[in-house]
Amino acid sequence: MVNEDRIINEFIELVSVPCPSKGEKEEAELIMSKLRALGLEPLMDDVHLKTGGNCGNVWVYIKGNVPHAPVLFFEAHMDSVVPSTGTHVVRKDGVLYSDGTTTLGGDDKVGVASMLEVIRALQEDNLPHGDIQLCFTVSEEIGCLGVVNLDKSWIKADFGYCLDADGEIGGITYAAPKLYDIDVTITGKAAHAGMEPEKGINAIMLAAAALSKLPAYGRLDAETTMNIGVFHAGQGRNIVCPEAKFTIDMRSLNEGKLEKLKKETLELLEKEVVAQGGQFKYEITDSCPAVCVSKDHACIQLAEKAARSIGREPQLLTSGGCSDGNFLCGYDLPCAVLATGMSNIHTTSEFLKEDDLYATAQWMYAIIKEAAAK
């Protein structure tokens, strides 16, 4: 079974290593050395040639001894948000903190430490299990670049789990949104703002007028959000602004609803801009596929049963965020995102209960055990 002292010591070791996005090499080498010590043969892919990082994703395939069990995939990312270099862990009353100068790095070293500990526990217990594939990814925090750029032919599993969500152990995210980023450019006409402003067409005002016509933004409904989060415009205070650019973040759990929103939003904005003499252009980036795993799928049912077996009540959840799990689902790997107990992530006040660290590993162990029993 999971060794509590060992996993906590390994977690502390893992978060002490520098691991910024695109700079995970030292962390990757440490993980690979630990896997080799377990008699395994990890491989590193070449996604860094596309991302500009200093290492690729780390993969390892563990042959099972239960022939007809489903092949399971587990994933966690190696990078942490800054400031994350050289985290010093403070243990207090069963809770792990940083010393306040860095993030703790539980996002996502909880997942990394759990994956390493569970493989040790499987070997020590000689537990019957099917084939297992582990993937430790890079650059998740800056757009899931490790997963976006991986060769999906490397995936050799039936379904999988990302160990990378906050919240109580037992939380199972089975649906997350498809995301569009839409870069809009509105062109007006420059003129001197003091001498002949009537000869100009102010792109800032065109954009403001068009955006003011949107019927809603922010939370549109329980499944759908839209945000205008970036706006660039202007050449000088005395120049009628000739160009304005902004970016729309548009996402929904319902892909049909998202397509309708995209079409109607762009048509409305273009109509308003053109009517006032401006020009309207846009570029759509299909930034993230949706996570959508049926509640009846073995992936979800196994996670529920395993959670109950360790005394945690499963909760089926949807999310408005995107993770590596979205892209894995986009590669036709049914993939749920499991809660690991991490809290206040992306801040220097991040913390993690020791019991949740143990429970994350126990949950993974139980999933593997239940899969073999089926």
Side-chain angles (χ1 to χ4, degrees):
M1 293 297 290
V2 172
N3 184 305
E4 295 183 357
D5 289 335
R6 185 170 59 196
I7 192 173
I8 196 165
N9 288 332
E10 187 154 69
F11 175 86
I12 291 170
E13 180 186 10
L14 289 165
V15 299
S16 72
V17 175
C19 53
S21 301
K22 295 190 179 183
E24 302 95 341
K25 185 176 181 179
E26 187 176 348
E27 188 80 36
E29 289 176 342
L30 175 62
I31 291 169
M32 292 179 78
S33 70
K34 290 176 177 291
L35 292 169
R36 292 189 189 103
L38 291 169
L40 302 172
E41 298 179 359
L43 298 173
M44 182 182 289
D45 65 23
D46 63 358
V47 301
H48 56 294
L49 301 180
K50 299 176 182 177
T51 66
N54 64 2
C55 72
N57 303 311
V58 174
W59 301 73
V60 67
Y61 196 89
I62 302 153
K63 195 66 181 172
N65 49 24
V66 178
H68 301 295
V71 181
L72 302 180
F73 182 98
F74 293 92
E75 183 268 348
H77 63 88
M78 295 184 285
D79 59 321
S80 295
V81 297
V82 294
S84 61
T85 299
T87 297
H88 297 286
V89 176
V90 176
R91 298 179 69 177
K92 183 179 179 181
D93 300 326
V95 181
L96 305 175
Y97 306 88
S98 76
D99 62 6
T101 62
T102 67
T103 58
L104 175 63
D107 180 13
D108 188 21
K109 299 308 183 300
V110 180
V112 173
S114 294
M115 287 158 67
L116 293 171
E117 173 58 27
V118 166
I119 298 311
R120 288 195 192 90
L122 292 179
Q123 292 182 348
E124 291 170 351
D125 298 345
N126 197 27
L127 185 78
H129 64 83
D131 292 359
I132 302 166
Q133 187 172 33
L134 306 182
C135 184
F136 304 84
T137 59
V138 296
S139 298
E140 188 271 351
E141 299 289 6
I142 56 172
C144 302
L145 299 185
V147 173
V148 168
N149 291 287
L150 64 75
D151 179 350
K152 68 178 184 180
S153 70
W154 283 48
I155 299 172
K156 306 295 184 183
D158 295 308
F159 53 84
Y161 304 92
C162 292
L163 305 176
D164 186 26
D166 58 358
E168 296 183 5
I169 308 301
I172 304 164
T173 298
Y174 68 92
K178 178 179 176 67
L179 166 64
Y180 285 131
D181 285 315
I182 306 175
D183 295 305
V184 175
T185 301
I186 294 175
T187 304
K189 183 180 179 182
H192 193 289
M195 297 177 64
E196 46 186 10
E198 59 279 344
K199 291 186 177 181
I201 301 175
N202 193 310
I204 293 175
M205 302 310 292
L206 291 176
L211 289 170
S212 71
K213 298 293 185 180
L214 292 175
Y217 60 90
R219 170 70 64 190
L220 304 188
D221 59 37
E223 298 178 311
T224 312
T225 61
M226 183 169 67
N227 183 58
I228 293 84
V230 177
F231 193 102
H232 297 290
Q235 298 175 335
R237 62 177 179 80
N238 60 348
I239 302 171
V240 175
C241 176
E243 185 177 83
K245 297 183 176 183
F246 56 87
T247 301
I248 304 172
D249 176 302
M250 183 183 292
R251 58 183 76 190
S252 182
L253 298 171
N254 184 316
E255 293 193 39
K257 188 179 294 183
L258 183 63
E259 294 302 320
K260 183 173 184 287
L261 176 65
K262 178 183 68 174
K263 179 177 182 293
E264 292 179 350
T265 299
L266 292 172
E267 286 178 351
L268 182 153
L269 294 175
E270 182 172 20
K271 178 182 177 182
E272 294 298 323
V273 169
V274 172
Q276 298 185 56
Q279 298 176 36
F280 183 86
K281 295 191 300 183
Y282 60 87
E283 183 176 336
I284 301 172
T285 302
D286 192 345
S287 296
C288 191
V291 169
C292 187
V293 184
S294 168
K295 295 178 184 179
D296 296 328
H297 194 284
C299 174
I300 305 302
Q301 294 188 339
L302 270 177
E304 288 184 285
K305 187 174 182 180
R308 292 190 182 96
S309 76
I310 64 167
R312 299 288 182 132
E313 186 59 32
Q315 292 181 294
L316 297 186
L317 306 170
T318 63
S319 172
C322 296
S323 71
D324 284 345
N326 289 68
F327 296 96
L328 292 167
C329 280
Y331 298 146
D332 297 323
L333 178 74
C335 190
V337 185
L338 305 185
T340 64
M342 51 189 177
S343 300
N344 288 356
I345 58 174
H346 294 194
T347 75
T348 55
S349 60
E350 180 186 358
F351 68 90
L352 173 69
K353 295 177 183 177
E354 293 179 11
D355 283 347
D356 285 342
L357 175 59
Y358 312 146
T360 300
Q362 290 169 338
W363 193 9
M364 177 180 167
Y365 184 99
I367 289 171
I368 295 169
K369 182 177 179 180
E370 294 290 346
K374 286 179 72 67

